[in-house]
Amino acid sequence: MKLYLLKEKPGPGMSKRMFEGAAKELNIKLEYLDLVTPRDYFEKVLKKLMTDPDVVGFNVTIPYKVTIKDAVLADEDVSACGAVNCVRVDHERGIFQGFNTDYKGIIRPLNGLSIHSAIVAGAGGAARAAVYALIKMGVSSIHLFNRTEQSSQQIHALFPQIIIHSLDSLDAFLKTEPIDCLINTTPLGMNPHPRTCLPVSVEALQNCSTVFDVVYKPLQTKLLTLAKTAGCRCINGLEMLVEQHVENVKIWDLPEKDAIIQHLQSYKR
């Protein structure tokens, strides 16, 4: 039984460690492999995944969460947010079933918090999931900050209620506008560039109650270090990773799924 993570660039994966750790602990014949895929080979790789009967499903990460949407049978969440991070391979029908579990990975760590206003930084697949999650939570004021206007406008077309800003204006905005939650969905701060960060200061972050960084390599990003100094509630990306994988296990209907879920949740402790 095989699972994959479809991505463009090589690098050590936490998901592989988590799933193969569960397989070893539970004595399950299960592989979770990183599938590094240059853009020119994207279509060929999809065909290969479909023709291998041992492939149960795969995850999708940067930069393919939006690209793969047209190749899957989308569920209602994918149709709403336009991004896919989980695929189930239906060999019998010859189709890929596409799901978005990222948004649940964002909602669950925020459960119980009072959030009326929020900022999402970035405009990729994770940003779409974050905006979708906030809307489902009933957040009335959502601001999206991103470097390029074209990507921002694509999300705005899906969610016309959000307000678009340039990423360079984030610090000035936060200094004057108190915000309940800031979610970073950009790769800023991710290894191998842990010193990078959103353009925001400790002074500005003092106007923000909760900072959620979806980056999980490293767990303590520069953004979260600044947020901690500012007195914010901090949520790291491992929270999202674990929660979306819990949903993936259910979608793939893996053997011993309850035990696998328990193993995955142990990474948050």
Side-chain angles (χ1 to χ4, degrees):
M1 187 176 293
K2 297 177 185 176
L3 300 169
Y4 286 99
L5 174 60
L6 184 63
K7 60 183 182 178
E8 183 182 28
K9 297 180 180 179
M14 186 69 177
S15 297
K16 175 180 172 65
R17 175 183 165 191
M18 293 164 70
F19 276 96
E20 294 199 340
K24 183 177 180 180
E25 179 182 296
L26 301 169
N27 195 26
I28 301 171
K29 291 184 179 180
L30 175 68
E31 292 182 299
Y32 189 106
L33 305 169
D34 289 341
L35 188 55
V36 178
T37 304
R39 292 177 192 252
D40 291 346
Y41 286 86
F42 181 72
E43 297 294 337
K44 292 179 181 179
V45 167
L46 290 183
K47 290 179 181 178
K48 184 178 179 181
L49 290 168
M50 179 58 71
T51 56
D52 185 345
D54 292 331
V55 179
V56 176
F58 55 95
N59 287 127
V60 186
T61 190
I62 298 171
Y64 297 126
K65 291 186 179 184
V66 177
T67 306
I68 200 171
K69 179 179 177 291
D70 292 335
V72 305
L73 178 63
D75 76 341
E76 61 179 351
D77 299 316
V78 170
S79 298
C81 71
V84 177
N85 73 289
C86 176
V87 176
R88 177 171 177 154
V89 183
D90 186 335
H91 293 285
E92 186 175 335
R93 293 192 290 167
I95 61 171
F96 295 118
Q97 295 174 288
F99 304 86
N100 190 294
T101 60
D102 276 343
Y103 87 93
K104 291 183 179 178
I106 290 171
I107 285 178
R108 286 180 185 160
L110 296 175
N111 274 343
L113 302 183
S114 178
I115 301 176
H116 303 285
S117 59
I119 287 173
V120 174
R128 294 175 181 225
V131 172
Y132 183 53
L134 291 167
I135 290 172
K136 288 185 82 70
M137 291 173 65
V139 178
S140 57
S141 177
I142 302 172
H143 300 262
L144 187 133
F145 287 77
N146 190 53
R147 292 195 189 281
T148 60
E149 184 176 354
Q150 182 179 0
S151 297
S152 301
Q153 291 302 330
Q154 289 172 354
I155 297 184
H156 189 259
L158 290 169
F159 309 110
Q161 64 268 58
I162 67 174
I163 304 170
I164 303 297
H165 307 262
S166 167
L167 188 62
D168 292 337
S169 66
L170 176 59
D171 193 73
F173 179 87
L174 256 181
K175 284 178 179 177
T176 58
E177 297 286 339
I179 290 290
D180 296 319
C181 182
L182 163 63
I183 304 176
N184 173 45
T185 70
T186 77
L188 290 171
M190 183 186 295
N191 290 336
H193 305 292
R195 294 183 181 180
T196 58
C197 187
L198 293 178
V200 66
S201 63
V202 170
E203 180 186 357
L205 288 170
Q206 288 172 344
N207 248 358
C208 184
S209 301
T210 298
V211 174
F212 189 162
D213 196 339
V214 305
V215 172
Y216 57 87
K217 296 182 295 183
L219 285 179
Q220 185 66 23
T221 60
K222 183 176 179 181
L223 174 62
L224 291 183
T225 298
L226 295 176
K228 183 177 180 181
T229 302
C232 306
R233 179 186 290 105
C234 296
I235 303 172
N236 65 47
L238 187 57
E239 295 276 339
M240 175 182 173
L241 181 68
V242 169
E243 292 297 341
Q244 60 99 357
H245 272 324
V246 166
E247 294 303 314
N248 298 342
V249 169
K250 297 174 185 176
I251 288 168
W252 295 326
D253 196 23
L254 298 180
E256 303 287 346
K257 60 185 174 184
D258 290 340
I260 293 176
I261 288 170
Q262 187 174 3
H263 178 89
L264 295 175
Q265 290 175 330
S266 71
Y267 283 86
K268 296 194 298 181
R269 298 170 193 153

